[in-house]
Amino acid sequence: MSKLRLRLAIFVAKLVSFLSRLIGNQGETLPGRILLAIEPEAISLLAQNKEVILVSGTNGKTSTTKAVATIVSQLGQVATSGSGSNLSWGAANALMSSAPYAVLEIDELHLPAIIAQTDPTVVLLLNLTRDQLHRMHEVKRVADRWHVECTEAANTVFVADIDDPYLNYAIANATNVVRVSFGGRHHPDGAVCPRCGEYLTWVDGDYSCSCGLTNKSSELKFEGGSAAYRNALLANIVGEIVGAEPVEFESSQLERRVTKVIVGKNVHFRLTKNPASWTEALQSDLSEDVILVLNARQVDGIDTSWLWDLSFAALKGHHVVVCGERALDMAYRIHVEGIESRVVDSFDQALSLSRGPEISVLTAYTAFFELAM
Amino acid sequence: MLEIIRIHNELLGTYGDNGNAEVLKFRAGLREIKARVIDVSYLDPLPRGGDIYLLGGAEDAAQLLSLTALRKGSILARAANKGAVVLAVCAGFQIVGTTYRTRDQEFEGLGLLDVTTAPGDGRLVGDIAIKSPFFAEPMTGFENHSSVTTLGEGVPPFGTVIAGNGNGVAGLDGAMSNNVFGTYLHGPVLARNPEFADLMLERALGEAISSVDDELADQYAKWRRAVIK
């Protein structure tokens, strides 16, 4: 009975997917939603015949998922979720494929349920930092949920960057773990031990707690590097677990960066969505012309207070133009740090004010999709 | 030199409230008032002679650690008694109250404000606007908390709620006593409401300060007021 219902669900979902593509929609959400509406168990049923790999974390999910999919594709066909389509219906949609492997990006709050439903071979945990707090509420709250599910999932290998104390805590009681450390990176929200609530001791970017939680207990230890470098390494560790050969990546492949030529100028878009990704982006080389785009829709985080959790000092000396729905939040934030900007109503206006041939655009999540994709 | 003490930013800095110190220093600077921000970590003793003490929002475990450290020597209560200005936001507001309760425990607060905090029915998240008796225009911010705060008898609120929840009781937000201000407004509150930053500077200096022309600050505050009604 349920098999029949699943077949019917897939048929309808694929039909809708086909029709919606006919009228020009990218539509990964709608077919997945229909599938789950007709067969609520679709995810676990579809996952049964696949090797499933899940990727989650605050930053780097989409690009690292792509990297893992590339690595695993050496072994066979891979079903994967489209850009940022990381809720349950995105997973459901991807799992409809007949491919033997599925590599899925999963939203932090949806991860426990998807682990329970798919019984994955490997789960890669990248990082947990403050993001969309109107929805996540607290970083610790997300880590608590992960901890419970990671402890339960006895068939799964968890690969985690334990320089992040939240991840180390999440997998602390898991059956199969590969703890990875690069060392020397102070976690921006890591003052308190997520396991016991004591004040964490940080020395040179490494932590330890009286309860025993430390990043010195890793199975694998590597030199430090950029987020792109670390995520490429983590992706290859996942690949090795499922038997794939390592693949080399350009760092640009593991960053949410897109360069487009617009009115004869090279416009370099970079996704910046929370303090951690902003800090990473501001450490990179920026053009003299910089455009900042800030929105605060649901997926951007509807509260902009976090702008004050990082320093924008790297923008000093640049020609800065600000736009987006929350441009004033941004303009005032950097104003107080001594950086003056022009506030304009549209991205086109911002472009027209640029002086040189190269423009760096640091942009919120929703704007990144509208402007760069 | 105006000393702005940012208390336990690594613990009480979860919701951007660290920006309050930056705004105070910035607006003092616009008037050529010398000011400096002193960051005091959980491991440091709290300086006694500060002019303005700032506490921000936090996650539960961090809030408790901060409270435990601040209890030592009652330095904050003494400074407040001597007239120091204190701005306590969200978890900070709960810390400076009489008691706060979690689901399983009750903690004695620092007692700067006669308020008690207890778990509420659900998380209160979203834009908030309040009317404070100090200002002609409403104040705006963003709230994100799950506890509700009840004022002791005769304790004045910081403001009455126009939109959002605030304390979650009786349509009020925050509380105050002399130069101690408690509120649930993040934003940070002083960035969204520059007139409040100026009030704090005046209280700290004990004298009126000149008005300044910071067009962007006013434009930002006005726009938020227009959006949140």
Side-chain angles (χ1 to χ4, degrees), chain B residues 6 39 48 64 81 116 123 154 156 169 173-174 193 197 201 204 229:
Chain B
R6 183 158 51 192
D39 272 302
R48 289 167 197 279
L64 182 57
N81 278 339
T116 56
R123 192 124 184 139
V169 181
D173 175 70
N193 308 280
L201 292 174
K229 295 187 257 208

Side-chain angles (χ1 to χ4, degrees), chain A residues 3 14 26 72 80 117 119 123 137 159 161 171 176 194 210 304 309 315 328 332 354:
Chain A
K3 205 157 193 188
K14 282 192 171 169
Q26 286 215 318
V72 176
T80 188
Q117 289 167 48
D119 194 16
V123 174
H137 303 165
V159 178
D161 176 354
I171 57 154
N176 311 296
S210 53
T304 57
D309 292 336
L315 295 175
L328 279 177
Y332 184 65
S354 63

Side-chain angles (χ1 to χ4, degrees), chain A residues 130 137 139 199 308 329 335, chain B residues 10 13 15 18 59 214 220:
Chain A
R130 69 185 74 174
H137 303 165
V139 186
Y199 197 76
W308 298 80
D329 292 80
H335 172 64
Chain B
E10 80 279 31
Y15 298 95
N18 51 322
E59 299 194 354
D214 186 0
Y220 180 39

